[in-house]
Amino acid sequence: MWESTPKRKVYIDERLFERILGGEQDAFRELYEITYKPLYAFLLSHTLNSEDAQDLLQDTYIQIYKNCHLYRKQGNPMAWMMKIAKNLFLMKCRKEREAVNYDEIENELGFTDISNTDNRIVLEKMFQLLSQEDRDLIILHDVGGMKHREIAKLLDMPLGTVTARYNRGIRKLQKEFGERL
């Protein structure tokens, strides 16, 4: 049975980037601990493959470390980090010259961070029910803790479209899974 956990906004102290620039390894470790789960979920929703998501996650953190001097305090650091992750995913797709078909879900998604078999089955079913765009919106909001207006800005979509698609995706999941969500 799906156990609902309270939604938690991912709070990132923007001063972490300054501390990382100053060479503080603890600051980078702290940033990683705060953000790796939503970034992994975001990448998994794109790659639909645990190994690829883990590889891209590692590359994302390398880029964050190398480019933290480029971060500008302007709201949500998670949006900046997810943009890096998405760009790396898109570059990977271009390099492989593959057309990514989001409608075909691999037989095994390999959710390494989810130990409960029932939860894993529910998540796999969720990925099958939702389009890539709807998965992104739900993951950015519910896992990444981003507000709808932040998502709209990140994805360059009208706020009304983001809100409508998010609500439609949630309704679809609630219809399938009922109150378990």
Side-chain angles (χ1 to χ4, degrees):
M1 175 180 268
W2 180 266
E3 294 180 20
S4 179
T5 56
K7 294 179 186 176
R8 292 174 293 173
K9 180 170 173 65
V10 175
Y11 174 76
I12 303 168
D13 183 349
E14 293 178 304
R15 292 176 291 191
L16 281 174
F17 295 106
E18 295 168 10
R19 291 175 49 208
I20 292 167
L21 277 172
E24 290 185 42
Q25 290 299 316
D26 287 342
F28 189 71
R29 191 173 302 113
E30 183 179 340
L31 180 69
Y32 175 82
E33 289 297 322
I34 295 168
T35 61
Y36 81 92
K37 286 182 183 178
L39 274 176
Y40 175 75
F42 178 73
L43 287 165
L44 184 62
S45 79
H46 278 73
T47 63
L48 305 177
N49 177 293
S50 180
E51 291 171 3
D52 288 343
Q54 290 172 2
D55 289 345
L56 283 170
L57 183 67
Q58 180 178 353
D59 293 343
T60 299
Y61 280 105
I62 290 169
Q63 290 303 310
I64 290 167
Y65 186 80
K66 287 181 178 178
N67 295 301
C68 66
H69 66 282
L70 298 174
Y71 176 75
R72 301 292 175 252
K73 293 182 182 180
Q74 53 190 338
N76 190 342
M78 189 57 133
W80 181 73
M81 295 170 68
M82 286 184 169
K83 190 157 195 125
I84 290 171
K86 185 172 184 178
N87 286 340
L88 288 170
F89 168 73
L90 293 173
M91 285 182 356
K92 179 184 183 316
C93 290
R94 281 193 292 270
K95 282 181 183 175
E96 294 175 354
R97 298 184 189 264
E98 292 178 358
V100 178
N101 185 349
Y102 296 116
D103 296 326
E104 291 181 13
I105 307 294
E106 294 181 6
N107 290 336
E108 184 177 345
L109 294 176
F111 291 96
T112 58
D113 290 336
I114 299 174
S115 58
N116 183 302
T117 304
D118 291 337
N119 288 350
R120 185 175 26 251
I121 291 169
V122 170
L123 282 173
E124 288 176 8
K125 182 70 173 173
M126 289 171 138
F127 274 1
Q128 292 172 350
L129 284 174
L130 299 173
S131 70
Q132 174 67 42
E133 293 81 12
D134 291 347
R135 284 194 308 261
D136 286 350
L137 295 174
I138 290 170
I139 287 172
L140 287 170
H141 182 71
D142 292 342
V143 178
M146 295 177 69
K147 296 178 180 171
H148 291 296
R149 69 175 159 272
E150 294 170 328
I151 296 168
K153 186 176 180 182
L154 175 68
L155 300 179
D156 195 28
M157 295 172 69
L159 177 59
T161 302
V162 169
T163 305
R165 291 187 78 154
Y166 172 83
N167 290 331
R168 184 179 58 232
I170 291 295
R171 280 193 307 272
K172 187 184 275 188
L173 293 174
Q174 286 172 336
K175 182 179 178 185
E176 179 71 22
F177 298 104
E179 295 302 316
R180 291 181 287 174
L181 286 178

